[in-house]
Every structure is written in structure tokens, then in C-alpha cells.
Amino acid sequence: HWKKVQPSGKGTLWSSLPKAPPIDEAALRELFTVKAAGGQKPTAAPAGGGAGGSAVKKEQQPALLDVKRSNQIQIALAKFKGRGILAAVLALDETVLKQDDIARLRECSPSAEEVEMLSPFGEDPRLKETVRWGPAESFLLDMAAVPRLSQRLACFLSKLTFEQRKKDAEAQVEAINKAVQCLRGSKTLPLLLALVLQVGNALNAGTPRGAAAGFTSEALGKLAETKSTVSDARPAQTSLLHYVARVAPAESS
């Protein structure tokens, strides 16, 4: 879990750490050095397969859409209750289209295959008499005629949700700013980081990961997960986090 950070010159957190308190490195290594054991080979992830992959294109039938797709579109249409969908999409009319409507329209937008399948019926309306033509097919044909439909709906959704997303982003930025100010003003944090750095270098001494000038933040999350070895003389385990807390000076608590 220990990933060292290379020295990056003055002005960084690592270049200004205070001196860490002394630790008993021999006792530390005795606690947390894992005894050599036969390695377990990683379990390979199951190979891909199964039912994935692109569906085989079916031969054209009197019913252009399958039942599931037709029902999906007709349920969405029922929620619009007779509102002029095509005109509203072309005009991006906020009085007709709301945020939830955009999500439904995006789900029901015609795919490239459906556009290709329905285009002859737009060129020659008499072809509709040769198949079972319904509201779902009419909707897809109308939507296929809208220029850049996918981009239009995506941009319109961004416009409708902009203010709420802006408020959310402002709240997150404010929280981050407060956290940064708290960390930069802390006197305890640099001392604890120096101690963790000293402990990590002691445990990784003699390896390419030793003699680090700093470490990545991932290592902090692993302190509680790194457990001491168990022996007859020491049957109870302790975590590296508990060890750091025990050897930390009282003023950093």
C-alpha cells in the first residue's frame, strides 16, 4: 500500500514537515513484518461471454417495432397528455418540456437502426398501409426528422438543470475551501504525516519503496487495515493506525 512520492523542491508539504518523534524500528518491524508464505495466485476474472454482444438484426416484419419497445414509447407518450411534442422539441419550449420530459424523450429517441428502418415511410406515406403502423412508429418518425435530436435534448437538459447544478457546485467548492483552510492551519497534521512517513520508511527499508520523501494519500486509508503479525507471545493483533496513535506525542492528540 506504500507508494512513495519523489522530492519536488521547496514549497510543498513534504519539504516542510517537522521532525518526527523517534520510534523503535526493530520493534516496529517485528510487529508488522509479514512472514514469508506461499503466494496465492490471483483468481482470474471470468471470461466475457454469455448473452452480451449486439443483437442480431431481425428480418422486417409487419410489426416494425417489438412489443417491448412499442409499449415503452406509448407509456412515455401517455405522460405528455396530448402536448405538442414535436413543436416543443423544435422550439425547446420550457412551458411544455420539463426536466423529467427530457429524460423520457432521450430514452425513446429513435436509434440509428430505427431511423434507417422508418425513413422509407417518411418518403412514401403509402407504405404505412403495408405494416401495423401506430403511435409509437409515428413518434419515432417525427423525432427522426428533428435536426441533431440527441445533441438538442442534451443541451436543453443542461440548460434546465444549470441553476441547481451551479448551486451544488458552489456548495462543494465552499466545503473544499473550508477543508483546505483547516488543513493548512493545522499544527497537528504535519507532525502526524511526518510520523507516518517515518514508520513507512522503516517498514520499507532496503526496498525500492524505502527512503521516501513523501507518500500518496491512499496510504492513510490503509493504516487501519494493516495488521500486526500474530505469534504465541503476541496473540492479539494491532493495527498500524493504533501503533501511530500510541507513539505520537501527547501534543498531537
Side-chain angles (χ1 to χ4, degrees):
H1 307 309
W2 184 255
K3 296 180 181 179
K4 63 190 295 184
V5 173
Q6 298 298 330
S8 55
K10 297 180 180 180
T12 66
L13 180 146
W14 301 113
S15 65
S16 58
L17 288 181
K19 184 177 180 180
I23 60 174
D24 187 339
E25 295 188 7
L28 173 66
R29 283 191 286 270
E30 176 65 23
L31 269 175
F32 291 98
T33 299
V34 179
K35 304 298 185 293
Q40 183 178 358
K41 295 183 179 180
T43 303
S54 58
V56 178
K57 188 174 182 180
K58 297 181 180 180
E59 294 181 1
Q60 186 169 327
Q61 299 175 347
L64 296 177
L65 303 175
D66 60 44
V67 175
K68 182 178 179 180
R69 177 63 166 159
S70 181
N71 288 342
Q72 177 196 27
I73 295 172
Q74 293 189 66
I75 290 172
L77 291 176
K79 296 182 182 296
F80 287 101
K81 298 179 181 179
R83 288 175 284 170
I85 304 174
L86 178 59
V89 170
L90 288 171
L92 298 179
D93 190 345
E94 295 183 34
T95 64
V96 176
L97 298 177
K98 308 302 179 184
Q99 182 176 336
D100 291 342
D101 297 330
I102 302 300
R104 296 190 190 99
L105 287 174
R106 295 181 75 180
E107 290 177 358
C108 297
S109 294
S111 65
E113 291 80 6
E114 289 170 338
V115 171
E116 181 181 359
M117 177 180 62
L118 294 171
S119 59
F121 296 89
E123 298 169 359
D124 185 359
R126 293 174 298 178
L127 292 175
K128 297 177 184 178
E129 299 176 2
T130 65
V131 295
R132 283 181 282 173
W133 193 268
E137 288 80 3
S138 295
F139 169 81
L140 289 179
L141 187 60
D142 288 342
M143 291 298 103
V146 177
R148 298 176 296 277
L149 175 63
S150 177
Q151 295 89 333
R152 181 182 295 261
L153 293 177
C155 291
F156 193 41
L157 182 61
S158 295
K159 178 185 177 183
L160 294 178
T161 59
F162 176 78
E163 287 300 328
Q164 184 58 52
R165 290 186 293 113
K166 177 173 173 287
K167 291 179 181 179
D168 293 343
E170 288 174 343
Q172 292 172 0
V173 170
E174 179 63 21
I176 292 173
N177 282 335
K178 290 181 178 179
V180 170
Q181 292 173 10
C182 181
L183 292 176
R184 294 184 68 176
S186 172
K187 296 181 179 179
T188 301
L189 180 63
L191 186 60
L192 292 177
L193 290 176
L195 179 57
V196 173
L197 178 62
Q198 185 181 21
V199 168
N201 279 333
L203 291 176
N204 290 280
T207 73
R209 293 181 295 181
F215 55 86
T216 62
S217 59
E218 298 171 355
L220 296 176
K222 300 296 183 180
L223 293 177
E225 300 176 14
T226 305
K227 305 293 185 180
S228 63
T229 54
V230 177
S231 64
D232 293 338
R234 192 175 55 254
Q237 279 190 318
T238 186
S239 71
L240 197 53
L241 179 63
H242 282 93
Y243 175 85
V244 170
R246 188 169 67 247
V247 301
E251 59 267 22
S252 66
S253 302

